[in-house]
Amino acid sequence: MPAQRTGRRADVVIVGAGILGINQLYRAVQAGLSVQLLEQGAGVGGTWFWNRYPGCRFDSESYTYGYLFSAELWQEWDWSQEFAPQPETERYLNYVVDKFDLRRHIRLDSKVTSAVWDEAAGEWATGTEDGFQVRSRYLIATTGVLSVPQYPDVPGREDFRGEAYHPVRWPREPVDLRGKRVAVIGTGSTGVQIAPAIADEVASLTMYQRSATWATPLNNHPISAAQQAYLKANFASIKARLDASVGGFLHQPAGKKWTEDTPRQRQEFFEAVWNSPGFAKISANYDDLVVNPEANKDWCAFMAGKIRGIVRDPATAEKLIPTDHLYIGLRPPYVTGYYEMYNKPNVELVSLRETPIVKVTETGIETSDRLREFDVIIWATGFDFGSGAMLRMGVVGADGLRLADYWADGPLTYLGIMTRGFPNFFFPGGPHGAAGNNPRYGELQVNFVQDLIDHAGARGRRRIEVPKADEQAWMDMIAQLEAYSPFQKRGQYYGANTPGKPKAYLLNPGGRPKLDEFMAKAAGSGYEGFFA
Ligand code: NAP
């Protein structure tokens, strides 16, 4: 039932105090609106509150990931490393919340379980698991694309008597892994980040790998005093470059194609790329890497050579080299000491392609060849990506339309932030929104939402809904450009890792240029058709 019409009210209800929720809250408060932010967790930070696992850190450069809405904040906050670890990012987000006096708008431990549009009142009625109810003109879900943990449907998973963790639900109190026999299931970005961080302290570490991935070095380093001074002195130009960049990074595109170089030049170039930071492996690689399979294969051969050079046991090295996809066929992870870790005597790699899991027992994991016993199992098995959190909020729009029904075949969105039939409902950072450094995409979307709300407020408009044609145009763009996506259809970006989820593309294949284009068109027309 919708919350009572009498009772608690706010102009805006925001769900989720992650990086975008805090940004949206900042904008709404600046605009003079009353805001209630509801956060499921016991603290702010979203991804950076929940993911406390050892080794968790950015793989976008710290200063390109943080907020750009305040030059003062940029000057005050010193990132310690090129790719900051989770505790630092959590501290940063708490600092932002306190600096801008946002905490008083935030209610923690508040998991939203229902959000119902009341057409007669022109309001959303939102309720939480613990019975808190609030009505608002606008509802904004900044619930994130990577917030709902995904556990595999492995027989006996619940039978295990030892400790079991999913990295996104890593306990706040320290977990003592010293001297324990630990299994990590999954070698996506999370599994390969956690493993080298714990390999030295555990008695044994067994990695269960289904798909090998093309992991490359993160190449992290402390931010020196000189770099810090450079960052502080160049806020405006760095912001301008980030604002103009396609993926939200500062990396310089190579400006040349693989076909233009000799074999020897290619090897030298790939060596430089291997030694470059994080996502520069994509954004500063050859311009034709994604569209020319020969270029991509050559880069993969180079990486395979690196893996063989690092991992001393040839059989382990071969298992670690992907044979079923080229670079970016799956989301490539960026690692520190991952391949080197396999040279430790206490680390073992189990290929689930060769010996699949039969069941989990009370004491360990049985694969088709044998049972291995463990004290701890870490399920680094990913997320119900993109739409998972929103579809668990009980969202019901106009005419009793359930979001779960409207999206039964996959999300239908406009800019990854609105969906038809759900007036005054926005979800910046949602499915179809991003394809790169998420906060840079999300910031565009947060600003679009607040600008639209401001525009409506200034003209006395109370009901905002995306026109059918505009939603269709965005969906047509997704369908057209998705054809060029390098991602395989079996991964999270198609929802294929989540049982029962419709297979539909969940990223924005047009990148920031398409977001910019569509946003400029909407704003330029005075948001024509958006107001009833
Ligand atoms: P993921 O990329 O979906 O990887 C999940 C892993 O679990 C895959 O190796 C998968 O194998 C395996 N898996 C799933 N079900 C399994 C089963 N039934 N049996 C055996 N293995 C199974 O999830 P993730 O590693 O948590 O990463 C998710 C996203 O989080 C990333 O794409 C990235 O955007 C983000 N992330 C970023 C960072 C960072 O450095 N900033 C760190 C961590 C995560 P298959 O591939 O064969 O399905």
Side-chain angles (χ1 to χ4, degrees):
M1 286 293 292
Q4 298 296 314
R5 285 195 190 165
T6 54
R8 225 173 267 109
R9 294 196 118 71
D11 295 323
V12 182
V13 164
I14 299 173
V15 185
I19 188 124
L20 294 193
I22 294 169
N23 196 341
Q24 194 77 61
L25 174 58
Y26 169 81
R27 281 287 324 255
V29 169
Q30 289 279 310
L33 299 173
S34 62
V35 192
Q36 175 68 71
L37 189 149
L38 301 170
E39 163 57 50
Q40 171 179 199
V44 303
T47 285
W48 306 104
F49 169 81
W50 290 104
N51 286 276
R52 300 170 173 277
Y53 62 84
C56 180
R57 63 175 64 251
F58 289 145
D59 56 12
S60 301
E61 284 80 353
S62 311
Y63 41 88
T64 70
Y65 191 99
Y67 298 117
L68 301 179
F69 59 65
S70 163
E72 195 179 281
L73 172 65
W74 177 274
Q75 296 302 332
E76 282 172 8
W77 185 264
D78 291 348
W79 291 104
S80 71
Q81 298 178 34
E82 192 75 354
F83 301 96
Q86 174 270 337
E88 188 169 332
T89 310
E90 189 187 10
R91 276 201 305 279
Y92 170 75
L93 292 171
N94 275 279
Y95 179 83
V96 171
V97 164
D98 289 330
K99 175 177 170 62
F100 297 104
D101 194 20
L102 301 175
R103 208 171 287 277
R104 60 203 169 92
H105 306 282
I106 300 174
R107 186 178 192 267
L108 299 172
D109 297 311
S110 299
K111 181 175 182 175
V112 171
T113 48
S114 89
V116 179
W117 172 249
D118 179 341
E119 186 72 59
E123 289 178 340
W124 282 92
T126 301
T128 67
E129 203 170 49
D130 68 343
F132 181 85
Q133 300 201 329
V134 57
R135 287 183 153 258
S136 60
R137 170 89 51 89
Y138 301 109
L139 174 66
I140 306 178
T142 44
T143 40
V145 284
L146 292 162
S147 23
V148 178
Q150 177 75 30
Y151 293 91
D153 198 8
V154 175
R157 193 171 57 78
E158 301 293 337
D159 296 341
F160 182 62
R161 292 262 181 86
E163 301 163 58
Y165 303 104
H166 192 293
V168 73
R169 290 289 178 270
W170 200 264
R172 290 185 92 179
E173 56 281 4
V175 177
D176 188 1
L177 297 173
R178 281 173 302 175
K180 292 186 178 162
R181 298 163 302 168
V182 178
V184 173
I185 323 290
T187 51
S189 301
T190 303
V192 300
Q193 207 172 45
I194 205 167
I198 62 172
D200 281 336
E201 63 178 295
V202 299
S204 67
L205 177 60
T206 308
M207 298 296 292
Y208 286 90
Q209 168 189 279
R210 191 165 64 184
S211 304
T213 48
W214 292 112
T216 52
L218 180 64
N219 294 319
N220 192 18
H221 60 77
I223 293 183
S224 66
Q227 187 185 1
Q228 204 70 265
Y230 170 83
L231 290 170
K232 302 296 184 201
N234 291 284
F235 172 64
S237 62
I238 291 171
K239 181 177 180 322
R241 276 173 62 201
L242 285 170
D243 286 348
S245 75
V246 173
F249 296 106
L250 291 173
H251 313 137
Q252 286 296 328
K256 64 174 173 180
K257 292 181 178 162
W258 177 82
T259 44
E260 293 167 25
D261 269 352
T262 64
R264 190 194 168 122
Q265 286 170 325
R266 288 169 190 156
Q267 293 306 299
E268 287 167 4
F269 179 76
F270 285 149
E271 186 67 37
V273 172
W274 178 265
N275 291 316
S276 69
F279 276 95
K281 317 292 184 312
I282 299 176
S283 45
N285 211 319
Y286 281 119
D287 294 351
D288 55 349
L289 185 83
V290 175
V291 295
N292 179 355
E294 290 312 306
N296 200 328
K297 279 182 199 160
D298 199 24
W299 167 234
C300 290
F302 177 89
M303 290 187 287
K306 284 286 187 192
I307 297 168
R308 291 187 184 106
I310 298 170
V311 179
R312 284 200 284 273
D313 174 41
T316 302
E318 290 315 306
K319 283 182 202 167
L320 287 166
I321 296 169
T323 52
D324 58 359
H325 67 278
L326 294 175
Y327 196 58
I328 333 182
L330 295 173
R331 197 274 203 192
Y334 300 102
V335 291
T336 304
Y338 176 63
Y339 295 119
E340 293 81 351
M341 171 192 88
Y342 287 101
N343 294 331
K344 295 180 196 290
N346 64 334
V347 179
E348 182 190 8
L349 177 67
V350 176
S351 166
L352 297 176
R353 291 270 162 80
E354 292 169 10
T355 53
I357 294 178
V358 176
K359 63 174 188 249
V360 178
T361 70
E362 289 185 2
T363 58
I365 297 173
E366 187 181 323
T367 43
S368 58
D369 57 336
R370 57 172 281 206
L371 171 72
R372 288 175 181 81
E373 301 206 314
F374 297 109
D375 303 306
V376 181
I377 299 179
I378 299 172
W379 296 96
T381 44
F383 298 85
D384 180 348
F385 181 85
S387 52
M390 254 195 298
L391 290 175
R392 284 167 173 78
M393 274 174 45
V395 178
V396 180
D399 302 321
L401 180 62
R402 294 171 63 241
L403 187 63
D405 290 335
Y406 191 50
W407 287 7
D409 296 327
L412 295 164
T413 80
Y414 169 69
L415 310 180
I417 50 176
M418 297 174 79
T419 188
R420 180 143 179 93
F422 296 80
N424 294 6
F425 175 51
F426 309 96
F427 42 91
H432 302 156
N437 189 5
N438 274 3
R440 298 283 69 82
Y441 280 83
E443 157 187 83
L444 289 178
Q445 296 165 324
V446 161
N447 289 337
F448 181 86
V449 170
Q450 188 56 51
D451 292 349
L452 181 49
I453 288 175
D454 288 347
H455 187 95
R459 286 157 187 79
R461 304 295 201 148
R462 297 180 59 87
R463 192 180 191 281
I464 305 174
E465 186 171 10
V466 56
K468 184 72 209 153
D470 293 63
E471 183 177 270
Q472 191 58 52
W474 185 252
M475 292 306 299
D476 288 346
M477 182 284 289
I478 304 254
Q480 273 165 21
L481 298 187
E482 181 243 311
Y484 302 99
S485 167
F487 294 111
Q488 293 204 334
K489 296 202 170 170
R490 68 192 164 102
Q492 61 177 356
Y493 297 138
Y494 283 86
N497 61 330
T498 303
K501 192 164 171 160
K503 267 200 181 184
Y505 195 61
L506 295 168
L507 294 178
N508 163 11
R512 294 176 86 206
K514 280 291 169 194
L515 267 185
D516 282 336
E517 180 190 319
F518 274 69
M519 286 176 175
K521 180 167 175 264
S525 73
Y527 306 98
E528 194 183 336
F530 280 71
F531 308 112

